[in-house]
Amino acid sequence: MIGIISPAMNMRMGKTPDIRLSRPVMMEKAERIYEELKKLQPWEIQSLMKTNEKIALQAFLDFQDWKKEGGTAAVFAYDGLVFKNVDAGHMTPEELEYLNRHVRILSGLYGVLRPLDEIRPYRLEMASPIKIDGQNLYRFWGDSLAGEIFTPGEPVINLASEEYAKAVRKYADPFDRWIDIEFLTMRNGKLKTIVAWAKMARGQMIRFIAQRRPEDPEELKAFEFHGYEYEEALSAENKFVFISR
């Protein structure tokens, strides 16, 4: 079973626990993207990424300082709600190793990352309009991301945003099992996605996977967090829905 998640836009480079880190498996293609990113001026980054001057300038500096070696383990480098709730800093070495084998982080720059892959700070969303060899990032990566995700007999648990999930889902073969996880909240008699809570729940489910080490997706139905519980009536074989009432 492989769980997939999105990266976070915010990053922090800090100390990684004393555990062996790995090199991202798609560095050759990442380097090709980097060659284009380092050509961008701050104002171009601001326009492409729809951000403010301060963030654009930091992104520019990060691109200029980007190196193939050194950095922080991906699961510690990203600083969004999902990763705060994964809370890798409070995992045992055994849990981190399991996480590294069974979770993948999709990235516009690095492609597919294992949690303990060593990365440098960057800012690049998969939906960014930047062109690499005349192609947007979805076309540039093509089916190579799926090639790293899908393994015969291993279900894929989708905890990523649609921006990233769609870069992989469309390449699934008929024999690949893809399970979407959805977190909904009842508000005023209607079910809605509360983005912040959904991100927290995604991170907590990744933590659940690392701690419980489930061998079958059915075991994920036992997950509970912040009132979210599995809802059989709205779920299907390839879609697990959790509702908070």
Side-chain angles (χ1 to χ4, degrees), residues 90 130 190 230:
H90 289 94
I130 189 171
K190 295 182 179 180
Y230 176 73

Side-chain angles (χ1 to χ4, degrees), residues 4-9 26 29-30 33 37 48-49 63 78 104-113 122-132 135-146 148-149 160-171 178:
I4 62 170
I5 54 176
S6 309
M9 285 190 290
M26 308 184 84
K29 289 177 78 76
I33 297 173
L37 292 175
L48 276 171
M49 301 185 184
F63 293 153
Y78 293 115
R104 297 292 179 265
I105 304 164
L106 302 178
S107 163
L109 176 57
Y110 287 98
V112 174
L113 289 166
Y122 72 95
R123 190 180 185 90
L124 182 66
E125 296 178 70
M126 187 67 78
S128 170
I130 189 171
K131 299 292 183 181
I132 311 296
Q135 306 172 95
N136 64 23
L137 289 174
Y138 290 107
R139 290 187 177 276
F140 175 79
W141 286 112
D143 63 358
S144 63
L145 304 183
E148 292 292 332
I149 298 295
S161 66
E162 185 60 19
E163 176 185 353
Y164 288 87
K166 70 181 183 181
V168 177
R169 184 195 289 112
K170 68 178 182 179
Y171 295 107
W178 173 283

Side-chain angles (χ1 to χ4, degrees), residues 11 72-78 83 105 113-119:
M11 300 182 72
T72 301
V75 73
F76 293 98
Y78 293 115
F83 293 89
I105 304 164
L113 289 166
R114 293 162 295 192
L116 297 182
D117 281 347
E118 195 170 24
I119 65 172

Side-chain angles (χ1 to χ4, degrees), residues 56-121:
L57 179 58
Q58 184 60 57
F60 170 79
L61 295 174
D62 288 339
F63 293 153
Q64 300 306 307
D65 191 45
W66 194 81
K67 303 179 183 69
K68 291 186 286 185
E69 307 296 337
T72 301
V75 73
F76 293 98
Y78 293 115
D79 196 30
L81 275 176
V82 171
F83 293 89
K84 290 181 187 298
N85 280 271
V86 172
D87 194 17
H90 289 94
M91 286 186 179
T92 65
E94 293 75 20
E95 289 169 344
L96 284 173
E97 290 291 352
Y98 187 88
L99 193 78
N100 203 49
R101 294 195 303 272
H102 292 275
V103 172
R104 297 292 179 265
I105 304 164
L106 302 178
S107 163
L109 176 57
Y110 287 98
V112 174
L113 289 166
R114 293 162 295 192
L116 297 182
D117 281 347
E118 195 170 24
I119 65 172
R120 302 282 298 177

Side-chain angles (χ1 to χ4, degrees), residues 9-27:
M9 285 190 290
N10 294 328
M11 300 182 72
R12 58 178 180 178
M13 297 293 105
K15 185 177 179 181
T16 299
D18 187 18
I19 192 167
R20 184 177 179 181
L21 303 185
S22 46
R23 186 174 189 266
V25 297
M26 308 184 84
M27 277 300 295

